[in-house]
């Protein structure tokens, strides 16, 4: 793989050694070009060329379908991950006394929308991590006859623990429970096929490993579950004849498209499409290998200078996020100090969080290690 070529498509590399894809990632040069084309067209032509963008959105939907190994019609564009969680949380046919299970270390986007169901009599249950891992047996123990849904991240935002979606999905299917995946910390870096992994609902914004902008993400809803959910947020674009503005015909689209509701973030979707196109061109399994190689190297170098890696690095648990303990330093200060040196990392849960993507290099990691060694 010609990584130098793809690296040259990441303008961020001119100025920064950027290891913060788990926060808000830089966009690709292709995404930048797509946005520029869209803004130029809007400034110069207004909506005269609208058909071009309507067409592009459908192309991006097909790309998202390839990314998830899903039928493109089962994908809706949403403005962020939370919106996807909310669509399922608020539309699900709960009965008082039902419960929803998630991990205690989940990001708040996958916590509050479920907690917010308390007024509808839905109990919110969390599974604590043990020995820095989330155990499938613990998820199994949290489930009972009133559990209707399990919601979990592909990769945990602070620890970097990669959940075994196949195993959790299989457990859910066995017990007749629905499975929601917050995929934002894994999608683009690790393969995920909704045909192979038993996922019922999935959401991810594009601003992390997909190298898109904030405000343009994707929602997948299994086709046969569309009618089970009450369609929250219905608007002009939710119905079959969405563009026949003069005709009122309230028949909802028979797929995830009903949650697209209104006008879309066209520029953001175009940017997302440009980046996803590049990721698919490289190949997600190839990216996963590269991210694993880089994070393995980072962990080896960290061990050499006596730093303890918090993240589980068992092969099946690894992700693009490496969480490190810095007991004798303030992680917030380190993050600030390193930024002045052109090295971008982050901190979460009192630990350093380093999240490289495919275009980073071992030389950049060496720079980071050098800074860490002299803290
Ligand atoms: C696991 C996880 N989910 C969701 C988000 C972001 O949520 P949203 O796309 O709603 O802003 C983050 C961002 O840090 C995250 O780590």
């Amino acid at each position: 793989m010609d990584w130098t070529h793809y690296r040259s498509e990441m303008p961020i590399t001119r100025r920064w050694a950027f290891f913060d894809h788990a926060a808000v990632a830089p966009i690709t040069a292709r995404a930048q070009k797509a946005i520029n084309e869209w803004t130029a067209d809007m400034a110069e032509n207004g909506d005269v060329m609208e058909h071009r963008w309507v067409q592009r959105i459908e192309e991006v939907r097909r790309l998202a379908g390839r990314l998830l190994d899903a039928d493109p019609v089962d994908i809706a564009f949403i403005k962020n991950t939370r919106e996807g969680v909310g669509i399922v949380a608020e539309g699900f046919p709960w009965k008082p006394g039902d419960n929803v299970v998630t991990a205690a270390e989940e990001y708040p986007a996958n916590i509050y929308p479920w907690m917010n169901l308390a007024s509808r009599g839905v109990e919110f249950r969390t599974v604590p991590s043990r020995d820095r891992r989330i155990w499938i047996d613990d998820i199994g123990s949290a489930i009972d006859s009133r559990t209707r849904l399990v919601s979990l991240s592909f990769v945990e935002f602070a620890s970097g623990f990669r959940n075994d979606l196949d195993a959790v999905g299989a457990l859910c299917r066995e017990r007749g429970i629905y499975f929601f995946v917050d995929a934002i910390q894994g999608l683009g870096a690790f393969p995920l096929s909704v045909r192979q992994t038993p996922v019922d609902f999935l959401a991810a914004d594009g601003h992390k490993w997909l190298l898109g902008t904030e405000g343009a993400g994707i929602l997948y809803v299994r086709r046969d579950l569309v009618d089970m959910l009450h369609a929250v947020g219905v608007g002009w674009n939710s119905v079959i004849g969405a563009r026949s503005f003069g005709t009122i015909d309230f028949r909802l689209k028979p797929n995830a498209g009903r949650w697209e509701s209104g006008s879309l973030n066209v520029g953001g979707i175009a940017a997302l499409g440009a980046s996803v196109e590049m990721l698919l061109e490289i190949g997600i399994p190839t990216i996963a290998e590269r991210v694993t190689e880089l994070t393995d190297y980072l962990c080896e170098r960290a061990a050499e200078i006596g730093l303890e890696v918090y993240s589980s690095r068992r092969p099946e648990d690894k992700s693009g996020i490496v969480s490190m303990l810095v007991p004798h330093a303030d992680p917030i200060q380190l993050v600030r100090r390193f930024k002045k040196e052109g090295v971008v990392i982050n901190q979460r849960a009192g630990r350093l969080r380093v999240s490289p993507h495919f275009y980073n290099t071992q030389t950049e990691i060496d720079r980071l290690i050098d800074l860490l060694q002299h803290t």
Side-chain angles (χ1 to χ4, degrees), residues 19-333:
F19 301 111
D20 199 13
H21 298 88
V24 178
I27 62 172
T28 61
R30 297 185 200 193
Q32 183 183 17
K33 183 164 167 273
I35 295 178
N36 288 345
E37 277 172 12
W38 176 71
T39 53
D41 187 39
M42 291 314 291
E44 290 159 24
N45 303 308
D47 73 352
V48 175
M49 304 292 177
E50 191 191 15
H51 61 280
R52 174 181 156 197
W53 297 106
V54 171
Q55 212 176 342
R56 183 59 188 153
I57 284 168
E58 293 317 308
E59 283 163 13
V60 180
R61 201 187 304 281
R62 285 194 284 279
L63 290 166
R66 277 176 57 201
L67 181 72
L68 286 175
D69 190 19
D71 187 330
V73 302
D74 296 328
I75 289 167
F77 292 108
I78 48 176
K79 65 176 187 283
N80 49 43
T81 319
R82 184 235 68 84
E83 187 181 10
V85 182
I87 281 167
V88 176
E90 285 160 38
F92 195 86
W94 305 104
K95 293 195 181 71
D98 285 346
N99 67 70
V100 54
V101 170
T102 187
E105 61 169 290
E106 285 291 313
Y107 186 78
N110 190 29
I111 291 188
Y112 296 135
W114 308 114
M115 287 180 95
N116 195 36
L117 297 168
S119 61
R120 289 170 65 180
V122 178
E123 186 196 343
F124 173 68
R125 296 184 176 177
T126 57
V127 176
S129 300
R130 281 187 293 119
D131 306 325
R132 306 177 180 185
R133 304 184 72 235
I134 298 166
W135 299 82
I136 183 122
D137 290 349
D138 293 350
I139 295 173
S141 308
I143 288 171
D144 63 16
S145 61
R146 295 306 305 270
T147 305
R148 304 293 308 281
L149 190 141
V150 169
S151 184
L152 215 53
S153 284
F154 191 175
V155 168
E156 296 297 336
F157 80 105
S159 70
F161 180 77
R162 178 153 54 100
N163 282 295
D164 185 345
L165 300 183
D166 288 310
V168 179
L171 171 75
C172 289
R173 285 277 154 93
E174 230 170 71
R175 309 273 290 263
I177 292 164
Y178 297 101
F179 187 32
F180 185 102
V181 176
D182 169 349
I184 195 170
Q185 290 291 10
L187 208 59
F190 287 85
L192 177 56
S193 157
V194 294
R195 266 182 247 270
Q196 282 167 29
T197 302
V199 170
D200 297 310
F201 314 103
L202 175 149
D205 195 30
H207 69 266
K208 299 187 194 284
W209 304 88
L210 293 174
L211 307 175
T213 66
E214 289 171 285
I218 53 177
L219 167 72
Y220 163 80
V221 178
R222 221 180 84 195
R223 187 103 43 96
D224 52 325
L225 301 179
V226 165
D227 285 330
M228 179 188 79
L229 299 178
H230 175 67
V232 292
V234 161
W236 68 265
N237 200 17
S238 299
V239 298
I240 291 170
R243 290 191 176 266
S244 309
F245 308 118
T247 311
I248 296 302
D249 181 2
F250 186 46
R251 281 180 298 145
L252 292 168
K253 289 178 186 169
N255 48 45
R258 64 175 58 175
W259 285 285
E260 269 174 19
S261 307
S263 300
L264 294 171
N265 174 1
V266 178
I269 294 169
L272 177 68
S275 288
V276 168
E277 209 156 31
M278 177 166 139
L279 297 172
L280 291 171
E281 188 178 295
I282 301 170
I284 306 293
T286 310
I287 291 173
E289 244 174 68
R290 169 76 173 172
V291 167
T292 304
E293 188 184 291
L294 287 170
T295 49
D296 280 350
Y297 180 72
L298 168 67
C299 292
E300 271 166 40
R301 295 289 337 266
E304 269 170 37
I305 61 164
L307 277 183
E308 186 185 345
V309 170
Y310 177 89
S311 306
S312 169
R313 295 298 292 173
R314 289 161 45 135
E316 66 275 25
D317 301 346
K318 286 178 189 177
S319 71
I321 298 175
V322 175
S323 169
M324 290 193 271
L325 294 162
V326 278
H328 305 301
D330 174 4
I332 298 172
Q333 293 299 332

